[in-house]
Amino acid sequence: MLKIHFSGEDILRTRVAPAADPVWELVLSLHVLQGRNRDPLTSAWRHSVTRELRQDIASDQLRLLFALNPPRGYFPDFLTPYASLEGFEAGLDAVRSTPTELLQRDLTLVAAGNQLPASAAALARGDVATLHHLAESMKQYRAMAISPYWSRIQAAVAADRNRRARALLDGGVEGLLSSLRPSMRWESGVLEVRDYPHSRELHLDGRGLLLVPSFFCAATPVALLDPALPPVLVYPVDRLGGLAATDGDAPAASGASRDSLAALLGRTRAAVLQASDDGCTTGEMARRLDISPAAASQHATVLRNAGLLVSHRDRNTVLHTLTPLGRAVLEA
């Protein structure tokens, strides 16, 4: 179990990342791609990316990047710099500027449980050409495996941010931290991460905590190993139906889906869809549209069954947010 200790100052400085982090998503997707867990929500993505890797004659150039990111266990802290909060290029610049002592430390930890290619030795020595080659490999992999799906990844993270914003408005930062259950538990100034692979204590010491919602994070949240780095906790979000083969593909419509979509016609459901744009509870939806809570719930159920909404229950409240398909329908 990971226990993160907060002071009053830490609570004031805790925040949620403003959007999906492109570097964290890249790195964690490598773990998903190489892992044994066959999550149906990422199966189409895995199949498509694996096929492209097999066909790409330059895939050997990605060997070091893959080796540094095994599906289980430690992966280098330097690959997910805090600067990626400012975007992908800022993150890559930070990777290229990694001090040699940090490269040596991180690669030693990775090599303890994994076999690394010969180029890893040059990287550990701080070889500039190898470091720049690694950054270029990250760009190459991103273009293949992340960029075509980026809008859907962003949509899933945005939906989660709506949930956290609601929790923050209703209960302050403690309400935000309490909303992270069931994988985490907030109690008496300590955030406990259950099922964490190691027993560990992290004291924030007034620095606060950056919470990073992530599409490709597995069931267990992830923290950096080095306690001297700015504290970050990456946690999984609802994947909102997963990733299609390409970002432009619409999901195949079954007979049930076609029936559900046909049932959407009508002003009231269009208004329900509009109300859910920034997140809306059933009660709020009923008040905004001047309909009964039962009617609001019924309309939301039809939209959810059609794949246009996702609903999250928190105690006695249900929050409805748009899926990527729902947003596309609303914008159309």
Side-chain angles (χ1 to χ4, degrees):
M1 179 183 291
L2 169 64
K3 293 185 178 181
I4 304 176
H5 297 266
F6 289 73
S7 65
E9 189 174 1
D10 291 316
I11 291 177
L12 292 176
R13 292 184 175 180
T14 292
R15 58 193 176 123
V16 179
D21 188 299
V23 178
W24 270 107
E25 295 296 352
L26 184 156
V27 168
L28 293 176
S29 76
L30 286 162
H31 305 172
V32 173
L33 188 64
Q34 300 178 89
R36 296 178 180 177
N37 181 18
R38 296 296 186 263
D39 185 344
L41 295 180
T42 57
S43 59
W45 170 83
R46 290 175 64 136
H47 178 74
S48 178
V49 173
T50 300
R51 185 177 64 247
E52 286 200 47
L53 285 171
R54 289 171 179 166
Q55 294 173 350
D56 190 345
I57 59 174
S59 60
D60 285 347
Q61 298 176 10
L62 301 173
R63 185 168 299 166
L64 177 59
L65 178 62
F66 274 75
L68 293 177
N69 288 280
R72 293 174 301 280
Y74 175 77
F75 60 96
D77 284 349
F78 82 86
L79 282 180
T80 52
Y82 196 81
S84 65
L85 191 66
E86 304 299 325
F88 184 67
E89 290 300 328
L92 280 193
D93 286 343
V95 170
R96 295 187 190 100
S97 304
T98 306
T100 302
E101 58 269 23
L102 295 185
L103 293 170
Q104 292 175 342
R105 181 202 64 185
D106 287 3
L107 289 170
T108 298
L109 290 171
V110 177
N114 303 275
Q115 186 174 359
L116 299 180
S119 55
L123 183 63
R125 295 193 300 269
D127 180 71
V128 174
T130 305
L131 196 52
H132 280 252
H133 170 77
L134 178 62
E136 288 303 309
S137 297
M138 294 173 71
K139 292 177 69 173
Q140 178 186 346
Y141 174 79
R142 180 179 185 244
M144 179 187 306
I146 303 297
S147 294
Y149 311 90
W150 188 239
S151 64
R152 300 190 182 205
I153 293 168
Q154 286 179 307
V157 170
D160 185 86
R161 277 178 49 82
N162 284 336
R163 292 180 63 196
R164 307 310 162 195
R166 181 62 58 98
L168 180 66
L169 288 172
D170 290 345
V173 177
E174 292 195 335
L176 166 65
L177 295 171
S178 295
S179 77
L180 297 171
R181 59 182 181 272
S183 61
M184 292 177 265
R185 182 178 67 176
W186 169 255
E187 186 175 357
S188 303
V190 178
L191 183 64
E192 297 180 346
V193 181
R194 301 175 179 180
D195 299 326
Y196 199 75
H198 308 289
S199 180
R200 181 182 165 200
E201 308 264 342
L202 175 60
H203 293 266
L204 299 179
D205 298 325
R207 296 172 294 174
L209 181 67
L210 176 65
L211 293 163
V212 180
S214 169
F215 184 94
F216 281 107
C217 184
T220 304
V222 179
L224 298 172
L225 183 64
D226 187 350
L229 292 172
V232 171
L233 185 67
V234 184
Y235 66 91
V237 303
D238 189 320
R239 289 173 173 167
L240 303 187
L243 297 177
T246 65
D247 194 46
D249 288 346
S254 65
S257 297
R258 286 192 295 270
D259 291 341
S260 297
L261 288 170
L264 292 179
L265 298 176
R267 291 184 178 181
T268 301
R269 285 180 187 147
V272 168
L273 199 65
Q274 179 68 55
S276 303
D277 190 14
D278 294 321
C280 186
T281 67
T282 304
E284 289 170 342
M285 189 181 296
R287 288 191 294 272
R288 288 184 193 180
L289 304 183
D290 195 23
I291 58 178
S292 69
S297 178
Q298 181 181 16
H299 288 306
T301 297
V302 173
L303 290 162
R304 184 171 60 251
N305 290 342
L308 304 184
L309 289 186
V310 62
S311 303
H312 297 279
R313 177 174 292 279
D314 185 7
R315 298 178 184 175
N316 295 325
T317 301
V318 179
L319 179 66
H320 309 284
T321 54
L322 297 179
T323 65
L325 178 60
R327 187 167 300 281
V329 169
L330 183 63
E331 291 174 353

